[in-house]
Amino acid sequence: MTILFDGLAYGMLLFLISVGLSVTLGLMNFVNLAHGAFAMLGGYACVILLNGYGVPFLATLPVAVIVPAIAGVILERLLYRRLYAASELDQVLFSIGLVFMAVAAAHYFFGAQQQPLHLPAFLSGQIHVMPGLDVGVYRLFLIIAGLLVAVLLQWSVIRTSFGARLRAAVDNQRVARGLGVDVNRVFSLTFALGSALAGLGGALGVEMLGLDPEFPVKYLVYFLIVVSVGGSGNILGSLYAAILLGVADVAGKYYIPQVGAFIIYAVMVVTLIYRPHGLFGRSHK
């Protein structure tokens, strides 16, 4: 039960960081491999405020959301927008270049060392649930935060007018413009949303994943696995995939540590063999 709970918490953390990539990749059809750089930016914003200025941990989270969102809007308007109609290879090469620029900038400003994060007392320790099961308070907090984000994001995409405009802009930009939809504004807001979610996940993940300049490269594969297994653009699919992969990864490292992260890659390969578009992805035929 402890392994299952830890895997669930780890999966929720993967979801929080990866769901922004699912939004930009699946809903905007843009391959943004620099997604981890926005997560790293949110993590550094949290750590600097917490360790350097004594800001309470929960109070740093809005800043960790807003700063990557602003950076996302600026980069979308100056750079990303020029590549919406480009090939997927061009998008990949461009975003990979941004990743290495972000890594170099983080090395320059913050150094190569891991950034410490000291959780507040109310998020530390464990809760005794039953014999043999002690639940970490922070891991429980991650699970609740992940579920809340999933519900709100799914509702905003499916039930709101913004979600309707976004789906219309993705399906057919020309028709959407003819109906009065400001496609450029919708895409800017969507990119800001994806970047903000990455920043939130990055800030919440410092305690479990660590934070150093190599973060965008180190965890890029994990983000891509969650999106590909869940199906790009499918919020609940990313949630289920993240939970599946989180539990599989934690259980594999506990029971057969000698294989390392092999289990999570095996789950991805098997899933994509039988479901090439992901567990909940749709065929584009």
Side-chain angles (χ1 to χ4, degrees), residues 131-151:
L133 178 59
D134 292 325
V135 173
V137 176
Y138 189 67
R139 283 163 171 74
L140 181 61
F141 173 72
L142 288 177
I143 293 173
I144 295 173
L147 291 175
L148 184 61
V149 168
V151 170

Side-chain angles (χ1 to χ4, degrees), residues 85-111:
S87 68
E88 293 179 350
L89 177 60
D90 290 337
Q91 295 174 358
V92 167
L93 293 176
F94 169 76
S95 55
I96 283 292
L98 284 183
V99 168
F100 289 114
M101 290 176 64
V103 169
H107 268 286
Y108 179 80
F109 288 106
F110 307 112

Side-chain angles (χ1 to χ4, degrees), residues 199-249:
L200 175 62
L204 293 176
V206 174
E207 194 270 342
M208 286 185 67
L209 302 179
L211 180 65
D212 59 58
E214 302 298 327
F215 182 92
V217 178
K218 192 185 305 181
Y219 293 103
L220 173 61
V221 174
Y222 282 76
F223 309 152
L224 292 175
I225 289 175
V226 171
V227 174
S228 60
V229 171
S232 62
N234 192 306
I235 308 302
L236 294 181
S238 294
L239 175 64
Y240 300 144
I243 293 174
L244 172 65
L245 296 169
V247 172
D249 193 43

Side-chain angles (χ1 to χ4, degrees), residues 97-194:
L98 284 183
V99 168
F100 289 114
M101 290 176 64
V103 169
H107 268 286
Y108 179 80
F109 288 106
F110 307 112
Q113 69 276 10
Q114 284 276 343
Q115 298 295 320
L117 176 68
H118 303 290
L119 293 174
F122 68 91
L123 288 177
S124 303
Q126 295 183 327
I127 301 175
H128 182 72
V129 178
M130 63 179 68
L133 178 59
D134 292 325
V135 173
V137 176
Y138 189 67
R139 283 163 171 74
L140 181 61
F141 173 72
L142 288 177
I143 293 173
I144 295 173
L147 291 175
L148 184 61
V149 168
V151 170
L152 292 176
L153 192 57
Q154 181 74 1
W155 175 80
S156 65
V157 171
I158 301 299
R159 299 293 184 181
T160 66
S161 59
F162 171 76
R165 291 195 295 270
L166 172 60
R167 295 195 305 273
V170 170
D171 289 340
N172 194 316
Q173 289 190 30
R174 186 175 180 182
V175 172
R177 293 181 193 275
L179 294 174
V181 176
D182 189 341
V183 174
N184 290 335
R185 184 169 181 268
V186 168
F187 277 5
S188 292
L189 291 175
T190 304
F191 206 92
L193 174 62

